[in-house]
Amino acid sequence: ADYLRGRYQAQIPTFLTLQWPPPPTRRVFNLAMIRGQTMRYGIDEEMVRLMLRGRVSDVLVQNTSVKLEDIFQTDSAKRRVILIEGAPGSGKSTLAWHVCQKWGSGELFREFKAVVFVQLRDPAIQSARSVEDLLPAESRGQAVRVGQEFQACRGQGVLWVMDGWDELPSCLHTESIFHRLIVSPEKENLHLSTVVITSRPIASGDLHPVVSSRVEILGFTQTEVKGYFTEAVGGDTQTLQKLQDQLRERPVIEAS
């Protein structure tokens, strides 16, 4: 656990190392718990367009605001498998890493003794065949020992954060260590572990039968977007106005 905590505090993943736009000084995640499947539209071209856009709230009506620290609270009798959905660029990967950092710093999610971040787009991760292959460790021997410890307690207190289900090859959605950890964890003797998965909605339908709750990243309000861009351009009002004008001329970019 100490090794993992140190890793999350010291390491910055590649998807957060862009020079521009700079990361905001304060991370804001507007989240909603999806409570039902009532659709706003029938099955027509408009619904298909909205689903491709990638926001569940465009299509489904029943959702309620939820705080990050409450995403693991569920009324479901199912094992805790939390599906976090969002449009491309909405901040799914950033949120996944943020969960790990908050645990690593001891600020949130203290109920877990270990949190394991799994970047599913990583080719090295995609070739994993066992739990040990997913564990960040200083040596293979350490990974094996930690894996055995997880299995000895049947995964109790272990949180798997799997980022990018939609970026995983479809063949691995059914035959892989990832599928076993989500759908049939008893095969790995980890059926008491908790899982968080991030995905675009259009690619996550196969997970719905096993998840205990679904959370959507709603994106940012117009005020938050303006604040972010103001910070990004260093307070240059002329550049900010030009950028806002360009976004209004391209509503598809602004909506995404």
Side-chain angles (χ1 to χ4, degrees):
D2 290 340
Y3 177 77
L4 288 171
R5 292 182 191 277
R7 184 182 179 92
Y8 297 139
Q9 294 305 296
Q11 180 180 342
I12 300 177
T14 55
F15 54 82
L16 294 179
T17 57
L18 298 175
Q19 295 300 310
W20 204 99
T25 55
R26 183 173 66 91
R27 301 205 185 282
V28 178
F29 299 103
N30 295 318
L31 307 176
M33 187 74 73
I34 299 170
R35 300 294 186 184
Q37 298 289 336
T38 305
M39 290 190 175
R40 295 180 184 272
Y41 305 95
I43 306 297
D44 55 17
E45 291 184 4
E46 176 66 5
M47 194 196 79
V48 172
R49 183 186 71 80
L50 291 171
M51 291 186 71
L52 289 173
R53 173 176 160 173
R55 289 177 54 181
V56 181
S57 55
D58 285 337
V59 181
L60 300 179
V61 178
Q62 296 174 277
N63 57 33
T64 55
S65 178
V66 63
K67 295 180 180 179
L68 176 62
E69 55 266 34
D70 296 330
I71 62 173
F72 296 107
Q73 295 181 8
T74 175
D75 297 330
S76 173
K78 294 181 179 178
R79 167 178 173 250
R80 289 189 300 181
V81 178
I82 316 299
L83 175 60
I84 297 178
E85 299 171 298
S90 60
K92 297 183 296 296
S93 294
T94 303
L95 176 60
W97 187 256
H98 190 67
V99 168
C100 297
Q101 286 188 315
K102 286 297 184 183
W103 171 80
S105 67
E107 295 178 61
L108 293 175
F109 314 124
R110 296 178 184 176
E111 64 183 285
F112 300 109
K113 66 181 181 182
V115 175
V116 182
F117 181 77
V118 182
Q119 184 63 267
L120 296 176
R121 75 179 69 152
D122 186 340
I125 290 294
Q126 291 177 5
S127 64
R129 296 292 180 269
S130 67
V131 169
E132 292 75 19
D133 293 335
L134 301 178
L135 298 176
E138 296 175 317
S139 67
R140 179 66 181 182
Q142 183 188 54
V144 170
R145 288 193 298 275
V146 172
Q148 291 172 343
E149 291 175 6
F150 285 0
Q151 291 170 328
C153 63
R154 295 171 291 177
Q156 187 164 16
V158 177
L159 170 63
W160 302 93
V161 179
M162 299 188 184
D163 178 45
W165 182 257
D166 52 304
E167 299 182 76
L168 195 66
S170 57
C171 61
L172 298 179
H173 283 194
T174 54
E175 296 294 336
S176 66
I177 180 62
F178 320 108
H179 180 265
R180 293 197 297 276
L181 285 175
I182 296 169
V183 178
S184 53
E186 65 280 352
K187 293 182 178 179
E188 301 293 333
N189 201 26
L190 292 169
H191 49 284
L192 298 182
S193 62
T194 301
V195 180
V196 165
I197 317 150
T198 71
S199 178
R200 290 180 300 154
I202 198 169
S204 61
D206 55 336
L207 296 175
H208 292 178
V210 298
V211 301
S212 57
S213 58
R214 295 169 61 196
V215 176
E216 183 185 11
I217 300 181
L218 297 177
F220 303 105
T221 66
Q222 290 300 314
T223 299
E224 290 164 348
V225 169
K226 183 177 180 180
Y228 169 71
F229 281 125
T230 299
E231 183 179 336
V233 300
D236 185 334
T237 56
Q238 186 174 358
T239 301
L240 176 63
Q241 187 60 52
K242 184 178 179 180
L243 179 58
Q244 288 179 313
D245 291 342
Q246 290 177 339
L247 286 174
R248 278 191 288 270
E249 293 171 2
R250 297 167 175 81
V252 174
I253 296 177
E254 186 176 26
S256 65

